[in-house]
């Protein structure tokens, strides 16, 4: 279960790549599986991230499937028990997890050390192709993991802001996206038979993309992919996910709840463009607006008003062609009203005046700074390449964006800000009833969003 | 500007220095300017090739201890200034004051700076800057380019020489600290309860208290009480400056002397004047909280650490590291005790537990358990201690001992072997000296299953505890 957090556009991770990694390559294995591969010429870690695109299903069933299909693959496979599979994964030092970045995708990852490649491949093949999905293990997951996780996920204040925002701005997605509140039916385990049926019908080799990163050759990577996933069937090609319609609303919505801080999120939509200059410009603009202690929001809300401890701003992908822009702050209730007005003013100024050269330099230096974080590098590269592939972006997109950071001019950034940053923004606020916030709609719960009638 | 809750487990791992035992023999800390020794060392290092440069351990004229670290391949210089004051020094009723003073010292006036000081530099002017307050120490952090060493140290020295915040900045930072509290703990009912428990127990022994303070204590802060605290505790002769990265040792010492070396001395105060605080009585709180999603039992079990010769203290530290491994298991080799406990009962959703050291005198086992509403909360509360009390050598897998041996091989024993400045600081703030570091490797190598079991039995009978029962309410 993924908790909701602000996720900066996946492309930002690219700037953390070190010179020790080569460019990403795309291809197809002999068994027809699409892959992205990137060599990281240091260390022994290998990361394999994989994702299937699947077709439309019953919405409630979809949430339930997401909660079980990949996580429960290791709950026994090929006739071996969960304990046996867990033990084998431990002995081979394999870490397994789930990863599903977009609507209508479902996937996971495995990381391990390169010398174990030949032993890991058959184990993963067993897990991916022949999961047991035993009823007892599914029930345990439901009771021990998903029930408490649902309670926490739905109560989390920032998640509740998100629920409201999706209901208002993305009504196509509101009741079914992975960012919507979790229902009881959405976490209840499908039957074992249903899971297996869906697994066999939806998880094919032709609707799969695998991303491999590590200190191994492309040939070894491709061979590994075929060994793990090659025996999966060919399934009907899923229809492309229709892009949601974004309903831009220049509104302020207040959720009344007794919280010690005032939670605020400013939302807008950014249309994805394959132009790396535009992508770079918007990333730089958002960073300058709200990320870190040199950002406008930080200076205004923390240093000037003393109203917030930190600020953040960025974007994340909600569909192949749409990114959601958001800025998040948590405010001192006594200063919330003033701080919110200031946040909106800072955003208006960003649109009207753009950013100056010193700020551009600061942001690009930050984005291009080499990272000392070797740990996790391979996983970050593999994750990023998969996300790019699932969105249909070209394989060299990260490299092009990096080049854009190096060459972009301040004037270009400011033109693109004025042209592409969203003019209509939705502000969702959570605050106690006693805190006066000028809102277009006030509700007691995220489930009352429809009462706003926008 | 953060307050570390409890302490982080120190699991020092770093590659051992190349060159094996011969290079190890050559690793001596360099004190003062013995030119001949320097030449000989340099020659031997050259002959052996890839051995690290010897580290510098020196005292500046104002008493600040300077320690350098030389990790291979570091691109930046890491500055860490450790001031041995933290949550344990907060006056009663003013919990969180050390953290607040940290904020005041690192705050950038920004728009609140008087017009005449428009040129005042931000602490991050030369790179990344931050600070952390622990129970035992406050650490000021900067990561900078080589060329900015003197400017950055000069800026840091200026900040730590006097508490220069205005009343306006002081009030701003008080509010910011309040918001930091709520951001970290405000929407987590478990942590809010833990803060209350630890504050209560900390009233008897501040070492066991809560670094961040509480909303009530934070509300009481102002510039005058911060000034008193600063004047009492920010004395250069107690500070340690750790510099790590691509450094010219002689130049580094000169630069440090010109900058950090001019932090003015203050009248000495005996930290340990007065009786040793008593061991507090156990504290228990129950709460029905509408923000709680599931029933939880939270416990902090406090154990007095072994006293006496360093070998005994460090030996126990090694056993503590091993027990942490045993509890958590290893993703890569064996299932942990906690996972097996969780899987053995259908009414448990999750168990988390971690044993760490607060300082030389105290260890803490922090645990949280989520369970079904019908589960007996008292039974859940004693789950982990009962398991620890019943531990035998059969419960300690051979794999654990071999992983501990591997850890020993990777453990740095001298500052010049440390992978970074933070590892050195983490060791020092626990109350250990660098001279004791070599004993850690020996202790890890000689650790036996019976040592782990004996330690587990000790932890099963803590000296005191803080226990919270949290239940969801509508």
């Amino acid at each position: 279960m993924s908790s909701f957090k602000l996720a900066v556009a996946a492309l930002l991770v690219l700037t953390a790549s070190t010179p020790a990694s080569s460019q990403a390559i795309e291809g197809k294995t002999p068994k027809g599986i699409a892959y992205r591969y990137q060599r990281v010429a240091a260390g022994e870690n290998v990361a394999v991230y994989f994702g299937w695109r699947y077709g439309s299903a019953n919405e409630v069933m979809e949430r339930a499937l997401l909660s079980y299909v990949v996580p429960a693959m290791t709950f026994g496979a090929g006739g071996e028990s969960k304990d046996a599979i867990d033990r084998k994964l431990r002995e081979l030092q394999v870490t397994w997890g789930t990863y599903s970045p977009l609507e209508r995708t479902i996937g996971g990852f495995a990381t391990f050390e390169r010398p174990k490649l030949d032993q890991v491949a058959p184990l993963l093949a067993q897990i991916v192709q022949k999961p047991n999905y035993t009823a007892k293990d599914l029930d345990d997951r439901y009771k021990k993991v998903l029930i408490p996780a649902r309670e926490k996920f739905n109560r989390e204040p920032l998640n509740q802001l998100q629920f409201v925002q999706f209901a208002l701005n993305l009504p196509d997605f509101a009741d079914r996206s992975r960012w919507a509140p979790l229902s009881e039916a959405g976490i209840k385990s499908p039957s074992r038979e249903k899971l297996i049926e869906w697994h066999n019908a939806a998880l094919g080799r032709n609707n799969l993309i695998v991303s491999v990163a590590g200190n191994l050759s492309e040939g070894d990577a491709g061979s590994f992919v075929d060994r793990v996933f090659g025996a999966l069937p060919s399934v009907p090609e899923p229809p492309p996910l229709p892009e949601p319609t974004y309903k831009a609303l220049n509104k302020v919505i207040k959720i009344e709840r007794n919280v010690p801080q005032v939670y605020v999120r400013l939302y807008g939509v950014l249309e994805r463009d394959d132009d790396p200059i535009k992508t770079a410009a918007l990333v730089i603009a958002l960073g300058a607006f709200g990320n870190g202690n040199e950002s406008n929001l930080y200076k205004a809300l923390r240093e000037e008003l003393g109203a917030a401890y930190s600020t953040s701003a960025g974007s994340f992908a909600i569909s192949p062609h749409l990114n959601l822009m958001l800025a998040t702050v948590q405010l001192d209730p006594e200063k919330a009203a003033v701080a919110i007005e200031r946040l909106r003013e800072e955003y208006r100024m960003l649109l009207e005046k753009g950013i100056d050269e010193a700020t551009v330099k600061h942001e690009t230096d930050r984005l291009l700074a080499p990272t000392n974080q070797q740990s996790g590098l391979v996983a970050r590269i593999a994750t990023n390449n998969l996300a790019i592939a699932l969105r249909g972006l070209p394989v060299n997109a990260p490299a092009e964006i990096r080049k854009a950071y190096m060459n972009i001019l301040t004037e270009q950034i400011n033109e693109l800000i004025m042209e592409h940053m969203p003019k209509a923004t939705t502000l969702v606020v959570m605050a106690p009833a006693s805190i006066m916030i000028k809102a277009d709609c006030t509700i007691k719960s995220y489930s009352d969003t429809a009462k706003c009638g926008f | 500007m953060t307050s570390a809750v409890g302490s982080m487990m120190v699991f020092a791992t770093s590659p051992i220095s190349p060159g094996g035992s011969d290079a190890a023999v050559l690793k001596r800390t360099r004190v003062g300017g013995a030119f001949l020794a320097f030449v000989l060392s340099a020659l031997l290092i050259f002959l052996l090739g890839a051995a690290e440069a010897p580290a510098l351990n020196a005292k500046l004229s104002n008493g600040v201890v300077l320690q350098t670290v030389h990790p291979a391949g570091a691109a930046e210089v890491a500055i860490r200034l450790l001031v041995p004051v933290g949550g344990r020094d907060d006056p009663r009723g003013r919990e969180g004051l050390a953290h607040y003073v940290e904020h005041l010292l690192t705050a950038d006036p920004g728009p609140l700076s008087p017009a005449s000081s428009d040129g005042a530099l931000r602490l991050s002017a030369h790179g990344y800057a931050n600070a952390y307050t622990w129970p035992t120490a406050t650490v000021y952090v900067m990561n900078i380019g080589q060329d900015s060493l003197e400017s950055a140290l000069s800026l840091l020295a200026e900040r730590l020489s006097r508490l220069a915040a205005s009343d306006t900045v002081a009030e701003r930072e008080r509010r910011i600290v309040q918001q930091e509290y709520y951001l970290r703990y405000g929407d987590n009912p478990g942590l809010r309860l833990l803060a209350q428990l630890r504050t209560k127990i900390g009233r008897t022994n501040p070492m066991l208290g809560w670094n961040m303070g509480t909303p009530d204590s934070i509300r009481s802060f102002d510039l005058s009480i911060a000034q008193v605290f600063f004047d009492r505790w920010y004395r250069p002769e107690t500070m340690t400056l750790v510099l790590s990265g691509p450094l010219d040792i002689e130049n580094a010492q000169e630069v440090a002397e010109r900058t950090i070396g001019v932090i003015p001395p203050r009248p000495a105060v005996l930290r340990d004047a007065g009786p040793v605080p008593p061991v507090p009585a156990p504290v228990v709180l129950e709460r029905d909280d509408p923000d709680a999603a599931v029933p939880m039992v939270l416990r902090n079990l406090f154990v007095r650490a072994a006293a006496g010769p360093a070998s005994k203290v460090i030996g126990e530290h090694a056993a503590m590291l091993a027990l942490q491994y045993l509890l958590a298991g290893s993703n890569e080799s064996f299932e942990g005790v906690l996972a097996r406990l969780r899987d053995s009962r259908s009414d448990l959703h999750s168990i988390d537990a971690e044993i760490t050291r607060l300082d030389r005198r105290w260890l803490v086992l922090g645990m949280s358990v989520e369970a079904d509403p019908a589960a007996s909360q008292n039974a859940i509360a004693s789950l982990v201690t009962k398991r620890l009390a019943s531990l035998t050598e059969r419960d300690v897998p051979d794999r654990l001992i071999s992983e501990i041996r591997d850890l020993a091989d990777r453990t740095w024993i001298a500052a010049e072997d440390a992978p970074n400045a933070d590892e050195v600081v983490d060791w020092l703030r626990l109350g250990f000296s660098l001279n004791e570091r070599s004993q850690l490797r020996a202790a890890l190598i000689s650790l036996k299953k019976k040592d782990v079991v004996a330690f587990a039995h000790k932890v099963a009978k803590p000296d005191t505890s803080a226990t919270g029962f949290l239940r969801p309410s509508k």
Side-chain angles (χ1 to χ4, degrees):
Chain A
M1 178 70 54
S2 60
S3 62
F4 185 82
K5 319 178 182 182
L6 168 63
V8 183
L11 295 169
L12 269 185
V13 173
L14 303 171
T15 62
S17 296
T18 68
S21 53
S22 59
Q23 300 305 318
I25 297 169
E26 64 182 333
K28 275 203 172 169
T29 68
K31 294 198 176 170
I33 300 171
Y35 68 82
R36 298 262 166 123
Y37 157 81
Q38 187 163 347
R39 185 157 202 156
V40 180
E44 297 280 34
N45 293 337
V46 175
V48 179
Y49 276 68
F50 49 91
W52 288 275
R53 292 170 296 104
Y54 61 88
S56 169
N58 170 281
E59 303 307 347
V60 166
M61 174 64 75
E62 178 186 324
R63 285 310 284 278
L65 288 167
L66 277 183
S67 299
Y68 292 92
V69 167
V70 173
M73 279 181 179
T74 60
F75 293 1
E80 292 191 90
S81 69
K82 179 175 183 295
D83 285 347
I85 296 294
D86 281 346
R87 192 176 56 249
K88 285 187 174 182
L89 287 170
R90 271 201 305 277
E91 284 166 1
L92 290 175
Q93 301 178 329
V94 178
T95 304
W96 171 272
T98 58
Y99 177 67
S100 302
L102 287 181
E103 294 301 316
R104 298 279 188 265
T105 67
I106 189 167
F109 66 87
T111 62
F112 51 92
E113 298 209 332
R114 186 177 50 85
K116 306 245 167 73
L117 199 74
D118 284 336
Q119 296 160 276
V120 170
L123 177 60
L124 293 190
Q126 182 181 346
I127 287 168
V128 165
Q129 294 172 33
K130 300 173 193 170
N132 291 351
Y133 293 137
T134 53
K136 182 192 173 302
D137 292 326
L138 296 175
D139 192 53
D140 275 352
R141 178 169 170 78
Y142 166 66
K143 286 181 177 150
K144 291 193 172 193
V145 175
L146 295 180
I147 290 179
R150 171 180 170 244
E151 292 295 319
K152 290 175 204 167
F153 181 79
N154 287 352
R155 281 167 198 260
E156 168 65 38
L158 291 177
N159 287 356
Q160 292 194 354
L161 301 188
Q162 188 75 20
F163 301 157
V164 168
Q165 188 268 334
F166 264 70
L168 289 173
N169 297 135
L170 289 153
D172 299 353
F173 269 14
D175 60 348
R176 64 167 170 85
S177 86
R178 59 203 62 199
W179 297 289
L182 278 170
S183 65
E184 171 61 24
I187 61 167
K188 194 106 175 82
S189 165
S191 68
R192 175 177 185 269
E193 292 70 28
K194 180 70 195 172
L195 267 178
I196 292 174
E197 179 196 333
W198 194 88
H199 178 289
N200 292 339
L203 304 189
R205 61 176 190 275
N206 56 309
N207 61 333
L208 168 67
I209 301 177
V210 182
S211 168
V212 181
N215 195 2
L216 74 171
S217 68
E218 187 182 355
D220 283 347
S223 163
F224 180 86
V225 169
D226 269 351
R227 288 167 70 186
V228 175
F229 301 99
L232 289 172
S234 201
V235 299
E237 194 64 39
L241 174 69
E243 287 287 326
T245 305
Y246 190 88
K247 199 170 151 192
L249 295 167
N250 228 0
K251 300 284 183 197
V252 178
I253 294 90
K254 181 188 177 189
I255 308 170
E256 282 186 350
R257 181 173 152 184
N258 201 16
V259 283
Q261 281 186 306
V262 174
Y263 295 84
V264 181
R265 272 200 163 150
L266 179 80
Y267 288 101
V269 70
L270 297 168
E271 301 227 353
R272 190 200 96 191
D273 194 305
D274 291 347
D275 176 4
I277 296 283
K278 178 187 162 189
T279 304
L282 297 181
V283 168
I284 290 167
L286 282 173
F289 173 58
N291 256 349
N293 61 4
E294 302 288 337
S295 70
N296 297 344
L297 274 190
Y298 186 94
K299 288 176 185 168
L301 300 186
R302 173 165 169 157
E303 291 183 352
E304 194 179 319
L305 295 178
Y309 173 70
S310 63
T311 65
S312 66
S315 68
F316 68 95
I318 51 172
S319 73
H321 286 274
L322 283 189
N323 290 336
L324 193 63
M325 172 197 88
L326 72 160
T328 306
V329 294
Q330 289 172 224
L331 299 172
D332 181 339
E334 288 181 28
K335 301 202 170 193
V338 165
I340 288 170
E341 282 314 304
R342 190 57 189 276
L343 182 153
R344 301 179 81 189
E345 186 192 327
E346 289 294 330
Y347 186 71
R348 267 193 301 272
M349 280 172 44
L350 176 70
L351 298 190
E352 286 167 18
K353 298 192 178 153
I355 53 182
D356 61 32
E357 197 143 336
T359 303
V360 171
K361 176 147 189 357
H362 178 267
E363 286 299 315
T364 51
D365 284 351
R366 186 178 64 79
L367 290 163
L368 291 169
T371 179
N372 284 332
Q373 289 180 310
Q374 286 298 323
S375 71
L377 174 65
V378 162
R380 288 199 304 275
I381 290 175
T383 313
N384 202 43
N385 286 339
L386 180 65
I388 289 168
L390 287 171
R391 299 190 82 192
L393 286 165
V395 67
N396 65 344
E400 291 300 307
I401 291 170
R402 194 175 174 83
K403 251 193 261 175
Y405 289 144
M406 289 191 269
N407 298 319
I408 198 166
L409 302 172
T410 305
E411 299 77 51
Q412 285 176 292
I413 295 174
N414 289 331
E415 276 172 24
L416 289 163
I417 286 174
M418 287 175 204
E419 196 179 331
H420 294 290
M421 293 285 284
K423 310 291 184 290
T425 55
T426 303
L427 196 78
V428 189
V429 177
M430 179 180 283
S434 57
I435 303 299
M436 305 311 294
I437 306 286
K438 222 160 76 172
D440 298 291
C441 176
T442 299
I443 51 179
K444 298 280 186 208
S445 159
Y446 61 83
S447 53
D448 294 335
T449 305
K451 292 181 182 172
C452 289
F454 297 140
Chain B
M1 296 62 174
T2 60
S3 177
V5 178
S7 49
M8 305 281 283
M9 184 172 75
V10 177
F11 231 105
T13 63
S14 65
I16 55 169
S17 53
S21 57
D22 289 336
V25 165
L26 289 171
K27 297 217 181 328
R28 294 177 182 81
T29 55
R30 181 163 164 261
V31 180
F35 180 70
L36 183 60
F38 171 72
V39 168
L40 284 174
S41 299
L43 179 61
L44 285 164
I45 286 164
F46 170 74
L47 290 173
L48 286 166
E52 285 90 356
L56 171 64
N57 182 283
K59 197 171 259 199
L60 304 181
S61 56
N62 61 355
V64 173
V65 170
L66 169 63
Q67 176 68 56
T68 62
V69 179
H70 304 277
E76 286 185 315
V77 173
I79 298 171
R80 304 289 184 265
L81 185 66
L82 186 152
V83 185
V85 62
R88 68 177 172 188
D89 305 299
D90 292 334
R92 193 184 156 114
R94 308 279 197 194
E95 291 80 13
L97 185 56
H99 175 234
Y100 176 57
V101 169
E102 174 230 291
H103 264 252
L104 292 181
L105 291 172
T106 51
D108 294 310
L112 300 185
S113 62
S116 61
S117 63
D118 278 345
L121 283 178
R122 303 170 74 80
L123 201 61
S124 55
H126 303 293
Y128 172 79
N130 210 332
Y132 303 93
T133 302
W134 301 86
T136 54
T138 304
V139 181
Y140 295 88
V141 170
M142 294 169 113
N143 293 341
I144 53 159
Q146 255 179 293
D147 296 337
S148 300
L149 180 64
E150 180 148 8
S151 317
L153 286 178
S154 186
L155 190 53
L156 187 58
E158 169 74 24
R159 292 297 183 100
L160 265 61
S161 291
R162 65 195 63 81
L163 188 52
S166 64
D167 283 319
T168 314
V169 169
E171 172 57 14
R172 181 193 75 186
E173 289 303 313
R174 189 192 65 74
R175 287 184 170 276
I176 287 171
V177 166
Q178 191 89 286
Q179 297 317 304
E180 183 180 354
Y181 175 92
Y182 286 126
L183 185 132
R184 292 185 192 286
Y185 316 125
D187 59 3
N188 187 319
L191 286 177
R192 288 202 301 266
L193 182 57
L194 190 60
Q196 203 178 341
L197 286 164
R198 290 286 293 266
T199 300
K200 205 166 171 184
I201 213 166
R203 292 274 159 90
T204 307
N205 188 331
M207 189 60 228
L208 312 185
W210 189 250
N211 274 3
M212 177 70 96
T214 62
D216 286 337
S217 67
I218 294 169
R219 215 166 279 130
S220 73
F221 295 161
D222 62 29
L223 194 53
S224 60
I225 62 165
Q227 185 70 62
V228 168
F229 190 89
F230 174 82
D231 289 340
R232 178 174 179 172
W233 295 114
Y234 275 74
R235 292 175 283 120
E237 70 273 20
T238 65
M239 298 179 188
T240 303
L241 173 67
V242 181
L243 297 178
S244 163
L247 296 165
D248 176 276
I249 284 185
E250 284 196 29
N251 180 58
Q253 185 169 4
E254 286 165 13
V255 167
E257 187 62 58
R258 285 201 293 273
T259 55
I260 300 293
V262 301
I263 294 176
R266 267 172 251 291
V269 172
L270 280 178
R271 173 182 295 286
D272 293 327
V276 173
V279 176
V283 169
V284 180
L285 285 175
E286 299 195 35
R287 178 177 293 163
D288 294 327
D289 194 319
D291 291 336
V294 293
M296 274 179 85
V297 176
L298 299 143
R299 298 196 79 189
N300 276 185
L301 308 176
F302 299 98
V303 178
R304 273 189 290 195
S311 55
K312 194 173 166 196
V313 175
I314 306 286
E316 185 181 66
H317 193 76
M320 184 197 80
L321 298 177
L323 182 61
Q324 178 53 38
Y325 248 146
L326 185 63
L327 286 173
S330 168
N331 261 348
E332 295 143 13
S333 56
F334 57 88
E335 192 179 25
V337 163
L338 297 176
R340 278 185 268 131
L341 257 182
R342 180 200 61 215
D343 293 341
S344 69
R345 292 178 64 130
S346 59
D347 57 355
L348 288 187
H349 299 160
S350 68
I351 307 179
D352 290 303
E354 189 180 15
I355 179 145
T356 53
R357 177 178 290 273
L358 289 175
D359 72 346
R360 210 174 173 95
R361 288 194 197 141
W362 286 99
L363 311 171
V364 61
L365 174 70
M367 52 168 272
S368 72
V369 185
E370 291 181 5
D372 282 351
S376 156
Q377 59 184 29
N378 289 326
I380 298 298
S382 60
L383 204 62
V384 174
T385 47
K386 279 189 174 163
R387 185 65 192 94
L388 290 177
S390 66
L391 212 73
T392 66
E393 289 187 31
R394 286 180 61 182
D395 297 311
V396 183
D398 294 338
R399 191 62 195 260
L400 170 66
I401 299 299
S402 45
E403 291 202 7
I404 292 293
R405 301 265 188 280
D406 289 344
L407 176 63
D409 285 341
R410 299 192 306 269
T411 291
W412 60 275
I413 57 173
E416 57 260 37
D417 298 328
N420 52 58
D422 293 313
E423 294 255 347
V424 171
V425 165
D426 282 343
W427 182 252
L428 293 175
R429 67 169 177 80
L430 293 178
F432 294 126
S433 71
L434 289 177
N435 292 339
E436 291 172 313
R437 185 71 195 183
S438 59
Q439 299 192 47
L440 179 61
R441 181 181 283 180
L444 290 168
I445 287 170
S446 60
L447 192 73
K448 304 275 185 295
K449 290 186 181 186
K450 64 178 176 64
D451 302 320
V452 183
V453 171
F455 181 69
H457 292 171
K458 179 178 175 179
V459 174
K461 294 180 188 164
D463 292 276
T464 189
S465 62
T467 303
F469 298 106
L470 187 68
R471 292 178 295 260
S473 66
K474 294 297 175 191

